[in-house]
Structures are given as C-alpha cells and as structure tokens.
Amino acid sequence: MGDIRSISEIKIFVDHFYEKIQKDDLLGPVFALRIAERDWPQHLEKMYRFWNTVLFFQKDYRGNPFAKHIGLHVQNDHFRRWVYLFRETIDDHFSGPKAEETKQRAESIAMVFNARLSGASNEVH
C-alpha cells in the first residue's frame, strides 16, 4: 500500500469514499437531497479538484464548499460518520505521511463545517 502522491490517488479515494457515502443509511439520504443520481460524475470531478487543491496546492478548485452545506439538517452524528468513512477509505487504500495528512485535513474540515452549521442553525432560531 502506497501513499497519496497525485490526483490519480485522489480519484481512487474520492470514488471509493463517495461510493460508501451513497450506500450509507445515515449519510446517503442527506447527499441525495443535494446531488441527483445523474449529477454524481460532476460532483466527483469537483471533489478531485478540491482535494488536489487542498493536498497539493494546485489551483484546480474554485468555489465555496461551505455554502453548499448550508440548510442541510445535519448533526454531530452525521459528521462523525463522515469522518469515520473517510478515515476508513484512506486506510483501506493508502499509508504514509500524505495519507495521514489527508485524514487530518478531512477531520479539520468536518469540525469547522459542524461548528459553522451549528452556529448557523442557532442564529436562525
């Protein structure tokens, strides 16, 4: 098992991760609210670019990933499950410093999104 070295490996973990997400009883329905079946290829392409930017500082991704999550009714359990599936996917396919960094970055993203979405929902009520 090697490390994550390029967009080729990013495609592997993104594809496997979102395959798990779509089948997951907790997360699948949440994602289905925002991503129609026919739109998954476009979403995956966007995620390849996102992670290529995050991990390898390529200027592939443009956008506001947080904005896409506003209004979703997600809670701590959703974020815990997301992180669990993400870590599991990385561990299934890769090992090394970049794999560890990828898991840490995903956890940080989940923590920030969870905090911001909790704050956003508190502001509404």
Side-chain angles (χ1 to χ4, degrees):
M1 204 171 352
D3 205 355
I4 299 168
R5 301 191 192 293
S6 70
I7 197 158
S8 296
E9 290 81 20
I10 289 171
K11 288 179 179 183
I12 291 168
F13 80 72
V14 166
D15 288 349
H16 285 93
F17 174 64
Y18 283 105
E19 187 176 301
K20 289 180 183 187
I21 289 287
Q22 290 177 67
K23 294 176 183 175
D24 189 77
D25 291 339
L26 180 63
L27 297 176
V30 175
F31 277 78
L33 289 173
R34 292 284 167 99
I35 305 170
E37 183 82 27
R38 69 181 182 281
D39 295 333
W40 272 100
Q42 180 183 359
H43 179 70
L44 294 174
E45 286 293 329
K46 190 178 294 184
M47 292 299 92
Y48 305 151
R49 292 190 309 271
F50 173 80
W51 283 106
N52 200 32
T53 299
V54 169
L55 296 175
F56 298 111
F57 308 104
Q58 300 301 308
K59 301 291 186 198
D60 288 350
Y61 179 82
R62 287 177 186 27
N64 180 352
F66 179 74
K68 301 290 185 188
H69 297 80
I70 294 173
L72 288 175
H73 299 288
V74 291
Q75 300 171 348
N76 290 336
D77 288 348
H78 294 92
F79 286 99
R80 277 194 290 273
R81 184 70 180 153
W82 188 92
V83 168
Y84 173 82
L85 292 174
F86 193 93
R87 290 184 66 81
E88 178 182 69
T89 302
I90 297 299
D91 289 342
D92 285 348
H93 299 279
F94 305 102
S95 65
K98 191 58 84 170
E100 292 303 314
E101 177 189 341
T102 302
K103 292 185 292 188
Q104 291 170 354
R105 287 181 178 258
E107 288 176 18
S108 294
I109 290 166
M111 188 172 62
V112 168
F113 277 33
N114 189 14
R116 288 184 68 192
L117 287 172
S118 295
S121 65
N122 289 339
E123 290 170 11
V124 173
H125 298 297

